[in-house]
Amino acid sequence: MLRSKALNDPRPVEADAASRSSRGFARDLGADRAAARARLRAVARARRRYGRLFLALPLLLIVAADVLLRGDRLLDLGGKHIASYLGAMVESAALWGLLLFAASSRRGASRWLAALLFVALATLSLGGQLYFHRQYATYLNLDATLFGTSLSASLFGQLRADGENFFRSVLPPLLLAIALVWLGRRIVRPGRTAWARAARLAAPAVVVAAFVLPCSYRTVQASTPDVIYFHAIGGLLKELAGVQTTAQVRPGLRTPPSLPPVTPRPGPRRNVLFILTESVRADATCSARMPVAAGEAPAACPGTPRIDAAVPDRLPLTQMRSNASTTAIGLAVLWSGLQPVATREALHSAPLVFDYAHAAGFDSAYWTSHHMMFANSRLYVQDLPVSHQCGATELDPLADIDLGADDRLLSAHVRSEVLSLREPFVAVAHFGNTHVPYLVDPEDAPFQPALESKAPDDNEAYRNFYRNAVYRQDAAIADLIRFVRGSPVGERTVIVFTSDHGEAFREHGQLGHTGSILDEEIRVPGWIDAPPGTLTAAEEGALRAARDEPVFHTDVAPTLLDLMGLWEEPALAGYRAAMVGHSLLRPSPGPAALALTNCTGIWGCAFKNWGMMRGNMKLESRAWDTAWHCYDVLADPREQRDLGPAACGDLPRLADALYGGPAGSVDVPAHLRDLAVGPRHD
């Protein structure tokens, strides 16, 4: 009975069921935990797998952006340049990968420092390069930054003038860098392994190495844009710290020979006023008067109407070209007559027109509105044998380092001193307000719309802004010309006019100057205004014959010597032999092969570019080119049709011998680099 009762009691059955249920729940719970652990392990494996890929994402984005900007140039790389680019990719991957890894940590103050470095460096290096490429069709490199080592105000002046476009360029990299850090903390999440700790410690060391141990192949920019940037800034910091680099080449102290006294040949009595301006391209002014129909009044030159009216009978040189697109080189060529490829020693020891004038007993002067702190330019001109001299700070102690003093102040200063010069005299008035960032009078700016923006979409408005600066300068120069022509010395003074170089507005991608030797940067205005009786009939005839013929700045010093009556002086025969140009007061001996380059012994090139020209045929190459280009500048003034090297005759052979090959195929030759030995003066 008891047994029957026990059999009929439901409690053991319930207990057994509960036990079985508990065991099932435990099994399920265990399975769930196992599945959860498996999922966590899978997530961890995925994070390790995809986290590593994620850390490579910055490099992939940088290379993709580089290909979009200059894919055609990258395809032309070969040999050591490919190796250089691959090395830069390794450096870039290590830098951004380690920084992003450290910034992705889950805790610790160091992750915020790493995040700050990642965002700041990405913003400046990539945004800065994007901004620079939009302006100059190339990246900011070491050579370009060294142009600013003595003028820190230039950076802030640039931001004041074009800050909006700069911030437009840096904003996308800034936002992208922040997004990568945010995603990294969700995808990467480094652990506490020894390897992770070592990677976090290595991150700041890699940042320092990016600046201290650069490996960008800057001659053709065969590196990623970020590495080029770190190389540039690292080199600049070294220069500012007093560590000299061979890339920085500046004019130094001159050591000209002591010329013997010479006597000008008999001829017309004449003074020379050489008016030189800055960055004025040929089409921004009028070398010749505007053509008119018979019986009509001449139309005013739109860019420089007041100069046009002040010298109506000038003798134009419509095909004048500089041999470089850099001021320091232009001055050395204009005043010495040497080619820009002359050695640094030759360019510093050659007599200048001031030295020749002094030897012949001429009084002389050099007045400029340029700031002499710009690359320590004062060194080159401080010992000129002149009786009158001034620079920007003598005109205005607060003069801007890029713009210099107001050209109106220079014009007034020259007018106050020119009549005190003893005749005969040779004087140079050097105007500068047409240098970027350009000085404009908003109340007298006829070219509209005009903007200071350097954005590609605003290119024509920015060109108008430049034209308004030329228009403003026109008034200052015209005031000086009218004063001289109305003074007692006016009827005996020949005025020579040109610009040191031109200015590009993206005709071939670049903006400003020093970027190429294409015509937007080297074709400049040129004319000579000579009162009746100051030229012989033969001299005037030779000038008229040269009106539409290609002439060069290498012809200016011989012409000035001829105006002084010294071109045939036997005592100067040795110096004359070093000049490749000819006097424009004499019949042309025929076109000569002339060097064109911005890489010289007196001024280093920010962007390697060089070539040659004979008559109307130009051979040229820029830093990223591996072949010569040939243009007929008279038949194709915009240089749009590359005729191929063979069309330039023997110029490729001569250029190969001079430079070693196109600009993108060789390093800067030794004779175009700074070979000076001894203490630095610049």
Side-chain angles (χ1 to χ4, degrees):
M1 180 177 179
L2 290 173
R3 182 178 179 184
S4 174
K5 185 177 180 181
L7 291 172
N8 294 326
D9 190 349
R11 286 177 293 177
V13 176
E14 292 174 357
D16 187 55
S19 175
R20 288 196 300 273
S21 176
S22 176
R23 288 195 297 274
F25 177 77
R27 285 195 301 273
D28 291 344
L29 181 60
D32 290 343
R33 288 175 176 172
R37 286 194 295 270
R39 285 194 297 271
L40 288 174
R41 286 194 295 270
V43 169
R45 286 195 298 271
R47 278 181 175 159
R48 285 194 296 272
R49 183 182 304 114
Y50 296 112
R52 291 166 186 165
L53 293 176
F54 182 79
L55 294 176
L57 186 58
L59 172 65
L60 297 177
L61 292 172
I62 290 168
V63 172
D66 196 20
V67 169
L68 287 174
L69 286 176
R70 54 171 189 152
D72 55 336
R73 299 179 196 170
L74 296 179
L75 289 174
D76 287 336
L77 296 180
K80 61 183 179 182
H81 298 151
I82 293 178
S84 173
Y85 198 91
L86 293 175
M89 289 176 62
V90 172
E91 180 180 340
S92 181
L95 172 67
W96 301 116
L98 287 172
L99 272 180
L100 187 54
F101 183 85
S104 300
S105 298
R106 286 170 283 183
R107 59 181 63 87
S110 62
R111 68 176 185 153
W112 293 108
L113 176 60
L116 177 62
L117 284 172
F118 182 86
V119 172
L121 292 177
T123 301
L124 292 174
S125 64
L126 302 178
Q129 292 291 41
L130 179 61
Y131 172 77
F132 201 82
H133 196 280
R134 284 175 173 171
Q135 293 188 56
Y136 303 109
T138 190
Y139 292 129
L140 175 74
N141 64 2
L142 174 61
D143 301 311
T145 61
L146 291 179
F147 282 88
T149 56
S150 64
L151 46 134
S152 59
S154 292
L155 173 62
F156 300 103
Q158 176 75 2
L159 291 178
R160 284 195 303 270
D162 200 41
E164 180 180 351
N165 285 308
F166 177 79
F167 289 115
R168 283 182 183 176
S169 297
V170 301
L171 185 59
L174 170 64
L175 297 177
L176 182 59
I178 293 173
L180 287 173
V181 171
W182 184 83
L183 288 171
R185 291 181 178 179
R186 283 150 182 79
I187 297 175
V188 181
R189 302 185 66 184
R192 299 181 180 180
T193 64
W195 184 90
R197 287 195 295 271
R200 283 191 287 266
L201 291 174
V206 173
V207 172
V208 173
F211 291 98
V212 176
L213 301 173
C215 63
S216 69
Y217 202 91
R218 72 176 184 269
T219 53
V220 292
Q221 300 199 343
S223 303
T224 55
D226 54 329
V227 170
I228 296 173
Y229 178 87
F230 295 131
H231 184 183
I233 301 304
L236 176 61
L237 293 175
K238 290 178 185 178
E239 191 72 27
L240 293 174
V243 180
Q244 182 179 0
T245 72
T246 57
Q248 188 184 38
V249 184
R250 296 288 186 270
L253 288 170
R254 296 175 54 247
T255 57
S258 178
L259 297 178
V262 292
T263 302
R265 73 173 189 273
R269 184 185 182 194
R270 52 202 178 195
N271 309 303
V272 179
L273 174 60
F274 183 15
I275 298 179
L276 180 62
T277 186
E278 162 75 41
S279 304
V280 175
R281 47 191 278 162
D283 61 5
T285 181
C286 301
S287 293
R289 301 219 77 186
M290 302 289 284
V292 295
E296 294 182 1
C301 174
T304 52
R306 289 155 289 205
I307 293 176
D308 190 53
V311 282
D313 300 319
R314 62 190 180 275
L315 300 171
L317 300 165
T318 65
Q319 293 292 325
M320 173 70 80
R321 283 173 177 81
S322 173
N323 297 73
S325 59
T326 302
T327 300
I329 306 171
L331 295 182
V333 171
L334 283 165
W335 294 343
S336 73
L338 301 184
Q339 293 213 73
V341 291
T343 66
R344 181 178 177 87
E345 180 183 6
L347 289 168
H348 277 96
S349 61
L352 304 184
V353 292
F354 305 98
D355 301 301
Y356 293 117
H358 181 71
F362 282 66
D363 200 358
S364 56
Y366 175 55
W367 304 288
T368 181
S369 59
H370 278 267
H371 204 299
M372 292 294 99
M373 281 185 63
F374 191 97
N376 291 327
S377 303
R378 185 180 298 278
L379 291 171
Y380 190 69
V381 299
Q382 70 179 29
D383 295 327
L384 296 178
V386 297
S387 62
H388 296 72
Q389 185 170 0
C390 77
T393 52
E394 283 81 18
L395 301 171
D396 177 5
L398 302 178
D400 181 84
I401 199 165
D402 290 306
L403 283 173
D406 192 323
D407 282 339
R408 294 176 298 192
L409 295 177
L410 175 63
S411 179
H413 184 83
V414 175
R415 297 197 306 269
S416 72
E417 291 192 346
V418 67
L419 297 185
S420 65
L421 293 174
R422 171 181 46 79
E423 295 187 74
F425 63 77
V426 174
V428 176
H430 186 187
F431 293 81
N433 291 169
T434 41
H435 189 281
V436 67
Y438 316 132
L439 185 58
V440 167
D441 182 356
E443 302 301 319
D444 190 18
F447 299 101
Q448 297 296 330
L451 296 171
E452 289 186 74
S453 168
K454 296 181 181 178
D457 292 343
D458 296 327
N459 192 63
E460 290 310 306
Y462 185 56
R463 189 201 301 260
N464 281 341
F465 187 78
Y466 159 80
R467 295 177 72 191
N468 286 329
V470 176
Y471 187 84
R472 182 187 189 276
Q473 185 187 76
D474 169 61
I477 295 177
D479 284 347
L480 173 58
I481 293 172
R482 284 193 297 266
F483 177 84
V484 170
R485 285 286 173 255
S487 72
V489 301
E491 63 184 17
R492 297 182 296 278
T493 301
V494 175
I495 300 177
V496 180
F497 178 88
T498 192
S499 178
D500 57 354
H501 52 74
E503 195 83 334
F505 290 91
R506 294 190 173 89
E507 289 84 356
H508 294 87
Q510 77 279 14
L511 189 66
H513 54 272
T514 77
S516 80
I517 53 166
L518 294 161
D519 263 10
E520 56 268 21
E521 292 196 45
I522 69 167
R523 189 178 170 203
V524 292
W527 50 259
I528 294 177
D529 188 59
T534 55
L535 297 180
T536 66
E539 290 172 336
E540 183 175 338
L543 271 176
R544 292 190 183 279
R547 173 191 167 103
D548 298 317
E549 294 298 316
V551 296
F552 297 86
H553 277 178
T554 44
D555 298 321
V556 171
T559 303
L560 295 176
L561 283 175
D562 217 0
L563 285 168
M564 287 186 270
L566 302 178
W567 183 239
E568 296 176 329
E569 169 58 43
L572 304 179
Y575 304 112
R576 189 172 62 247
M579 301 182 188
V580 296
H582 73 282
S583 169
L584 298 174
L585 305 183
R586 297 167 183 261
S588 172
L594 300 171
L596 309 173
T597 181
N598 285 323
C599 304
T600 78
I602 203 168
W603 188 266
C605 46
F607 312 112
K608 187 173 59 171
N609 48 87
W610 52 51
M612 298 192 78
M613 195 165 174
R614 179 190 284 116
N616 56 303
M617 302 304 295
K618 179 194 290 186
L619 190 78
E620 70 85 29
S621 173
R622 287 194 276 175
W624 45 81
D625 294 325
T626 56
W628 295 109
H629 308 297
C630 178
Y631 301 102
D632 183 336
V633 298
L634 295 185
D636 177 24
R638 295 186 179 181
E639 295 169 308
Q640 297 295 311
R641 298 187 298 275
D642 178 11
L643 302 175
C648 274
D650 65 344
L651 289 183
R653 177 180 60 80
L654 297 175
D656 284 343
L658 181 60
Y659 304 113
S665 62
V666 294
D667 291 332
V668 177
H671 69 283
L672 300 183
R673 284 188 254 129
D674 181 2
L675 303 180
V677 178
R680 292 180 64 202
H681 299 293
D682 51 2

